[in-house]
Amino acid sequence: MEFDALLLSRLQFAFTIAFHILFPAFTIGLAAFLAVLEGLWLWTKRDAFKVLYLFWVKIFALSFGMGVVSGVVLSYQFGTNWSEFIRLTGGVIGPLLAYEVLTAFFLEASFLGVMLFGWKKVGPKLHFLATVLVAVGTTISAFWILSANSWMQTPQGFEILADGTLRATDFMAVIFNPSLPTRLAHMLLAAFLTTGLVVGAVSAFHVLKDRARGPVTGWTESRIALVMAVGLVAVLAPLQLVAGHLSGEVTHKYQPAKTAAIEGYWETRADQPLHLFGIPDRDAQKNHFEVSIPGLGNAVQNLPRDQVIQGLDAWPREDQPPPFIPFFGFRIMVGLGLLMIALGTAGAFLIWRRKLFETPWFLRFCVAMGPSGFIAVLAGWMVTEVGRQPWVVYGVLKTRDAVSPVTTGEVATSLIAYILVYSVVFTAGALFILRLMAEGPVAGAAEPAPRGDRAPGSPLAKAPEDTTPGDA
């Protein structure tokens, strides 16, 4: 690799989007969780759901804010680092990004204020509606972003003009491109699982703290949230395995080079093995220290054993995706997914046996799995994007032809600046979120009285008479 403007621009975009993707992956699921909590509070009138809502809405507000800030940076980079990409594909990509702003961001921005600051200013039903609409907005946002990215993976519905620019001929085909359905389902499930694992980790942490103080009886807020989180993981983790497999089948059909990189296939042949481990080496065109199961590769792809599957030798070396990151990223993602299934299965069994809160090893397992959703999302994103190389629009536009006419020094300077600013700003934000999580859901109910710079109806300024959480 040569550290030129192209590589540095790729590293800069990878660095900034890696920070950004963590926040939507969390807030999409957390917004839905908040809507469920508020709906349960309105339905049952149990104060525990209100306490949980007021606790998690603080974390949502901070995460949503950091997600917006980091997302704006990505938009600017389209102009500063990838102007050729926008110039050539703007007629197709531009409207999709605009639709995301018009249909999702405006919806979120309109009702986010009511959700955060309207607790005492509007009626409970209207406030619940605002929470639901924010959750809907985050899902719509994911739809448009995934539609744009999926089109880059499986482009259709366009034509190439004489000057090399792309123009959409069928926007429905552009939006609902072949990889959108499975990738959207895979991403939404990932977001809900990420939220469930974080909620489960925080709740298990506080259940362990309560146990250390002495015997606990009744349904505390943390116990309620833990059961909800474990139940969510138990249901969605197996579904995620199915969605991931279906997404892999689409990838095999439309991006066979990516499949070859993921599976570590170098030789085009029938009856491919399943490589459990290896170290891919593009220079040597083989895997080192390979551990494989013969004849199982075709079965994983739902193909007959006598059907030929392309290996990376089917493409010139310059058109082969770098296999190291897709190969290991995929195995990290699958390994974490299997651990999530194990957590959900064990948790469901303990709930059935009514021993969930009296099983310390499982509670510690929940705490340890807290960040696993974020790691799996990052691993999956790296598999998707690195596996697409050397194309930015698969089979249409190569990454080297999409970069801006900038110098290596200019990109290096901005990359260093991003690293320094992000290290300070997002580290501070993450530490503050972790501090709130450590305080626990009861802290969400014990808030200061209103003052001049805080709206009396906001979750950050509850009146003293509403601070009693009640017994769940």
Side-chain angles (χ1 to χ4, degrees):
M1 293 187 299
E2 181 182 350
F3 281 87
D4 55 6
L6 171 60
L7 180 58
L8 290 175
S9 293
R10 289 178 60 193
L11 290 174
Q12 179 173 299
F13 198 82
F15 174 78
T16 51
I17 201 173
F19 270 89
H20 171 69
I21 198 173
L22 297 176
F23 298 109
F26 183 41
T27 54
I28 290 171
L30 189 56
F33 181 60
L34 288 169
V36 171
L37 287 175
E38 188 168 8
L40 288 172
W41 174 67
L42 290 173
W43 182 32
T44 66
K45 303 302 181 183
R46 298 177 68 178
D47 289 338
F49 294 118
K50 180 179 178 181
V51 172
L52 285 168
Y53 179 94
L54 294 175
F55 168 65
W56 284 105
V57 78
K58 291 181 177 182
I59 296 170
F60 173 82
L62 289 166
S63 302
F64 187 88
M66 289 192 287
V68 170
V69 170
S70 58
V72 170
V73 173
L74 297 177
S75 301
Y76 281 112
Q77 284 186 66
F78 284 130
T80 58
N81 295 65
W82 303 100
S83 59
E84 282 300 293
F85 168 70
I86 291 300
R87 184 182 72 82
L88 296 171
T89 67
V92 180
I93 288 289
L96 301 184
L97 300 179
Y99 295 153
E100 190 266 339
V101 174
L102 292 173
T103 62
F105 191 77
F106 283 1
L107 181 65
E108 295 166 347
S110 299
F111 290 95
L112 184 65
V114 177
M115 175 182 173
L116 297 181
F117 307 112
W119 190 259
K120 294 181 182 176
K121 293 183 176 295
V122 300
K125 293 183 180 179
L126 181 57
H127 189 275
F128 174 60
L129 177 63
T131 303
V132 171
L133 289 176
V134 170
V136 171
T138 60
T139 304
I140 294 175
S141 179
F143 170 83
W144 288 114
I145 296 301
L146 263 294
S147 178
N149 186 266
S150 296
W151 178 83
M152 294 164 64
Q153 307 285 340
T154 53
Q156 66 174 21
F158 69 98
E159 64 179 358
I160 303 177
L161 303 181
D163 61 355
T165 59
L166 277 60
R167 182 181 68 181
T169 57
D170 184 350
F171 260 115
M172 292 301 291
V174 170
I175 295 169
F176 297 99
N177 56 81
S179 62
L180 173 65
T182 54
R183 295 186 70 236
L184 178 62
H186 197 46
M187 184 64 215
L188 290 178
L189 287 171
F192 293 137
L193 281 170
T194 298
T195 300
L197 290 163
V198 172
V199 172
V202 174
S203 303
F205 173 77
H206 287 286
V207 171
L208 284 169
K209 284 181 61 177
D210 293 341
R211 283 174 53 86
R213 297 190 187 104
V216 178
T217 59
W219 285 87
T220 64
E221 289 82 3
S222 294
R223 290 187 170 198
I224 292 174
L226 179 59
V227 170
M228 294 175 70
V230 169
L232 182 75
V233 174
V235 173
L236 295 189
L239 293 178
Q240 180 69 310
L241 185 66
V242 175
H245 178 73
L246 294 175
S247 182
E249 290 185 343
V250 174
T251 299
H252 173 73
K253 180 178 180 180
Y254 292 95
Q255 296 176 296
K258 181 189 291 186
T259 298
I262 289 171
E263 301 294 346
Y265 297 153
W266 294 100
E267 179 186 358
T268 299
R269 51 172 283 192
D271 198 19
Q272 290 277 13
L274 174 63
H275 298 309
L276 301 177
F277 180 79
I279 300 179
D281 185 343
R282 186 157 62 167
D283 292 333
Q285 296 284 289
K286 67 176 185 178
N287 300 322
H288 300 291
F289 309 107
E290 192 174 88
V291 179
S292 306
I293 302 177
L296 202 57
N298 282 51
V300 170
Q301 303 293 333
N302 284 344
L303 298 173
R305 293 189 64 171
D306 59 353
Q307 182 167 334
V308 173
I309 296 180
Q310 289 179 302
L312 289 171
D313 62 358
W315 292 270
R317 188 168 301 194
E318 63 271 15
D319 289 340
Q320 295 175 1
F324 188 89
I325 291 177
F327 184 85
F328 283 103
F330 178 77
R331 280 149 184 79
I332 291 171
M333 179 176 60
V334 172
L336 290 173
L338 294 176
L339 286 175
M340 294 174 196
I341 293 175
L343 184 146
T345 303
F349 176 76
L350 291 173
I351 291 174
W352 175 61
R353 294 294 303 274
R354 299 187 179 183
K355 293 184 179 296
L356 183 67
F357 313 124
E358 288 75 38
T359 311
W361 68 265
F362 179 79
L363 298 176
R364 296 188 183 96
F365 184 28
C366 289
V367 174
M369 287 290 289
S372 62
F374 297 110
I375 299 171
V377 166
L378 286 176
W381 167 74
M382 288 189 287
V383 169
T384 300
E385 301 306 309
V386 178
R388 183 183 59 196
Q389 298 303 317
W391 304 97
V392 66
V393 180
Y394 195 79
V396 177
L397 178 64
K398 289 195 171 181
T399 308
R400 65 169 181 260
D401 299 322
V403 71
S404 299
V406 291
T407 66
T408 302
E410 290 171 336
V411 184
T413 301
S414 61
L415 176 58
I416 293 171
Y418 278 127
I419 292 174
L420 293 176
V421 173
Y422 274 48
S423 297
V424 174
V425 174
F426 289 103
T427 298
L431 289 175
F432 188 55
I433 289 175
L434 290 174
R435 179 182 173 184
L436 286 176
M437 290 178 175
E439 291 177 355
V442 176
E447 294 165 346
R451 66 187 194 198
D453 61 343
R454 289 183 177 174
S458 75
L460 298 179
K462 282 190 61 189
E465 61 270 17
D466 286 340
T467 59
T468 303
D471 186 9

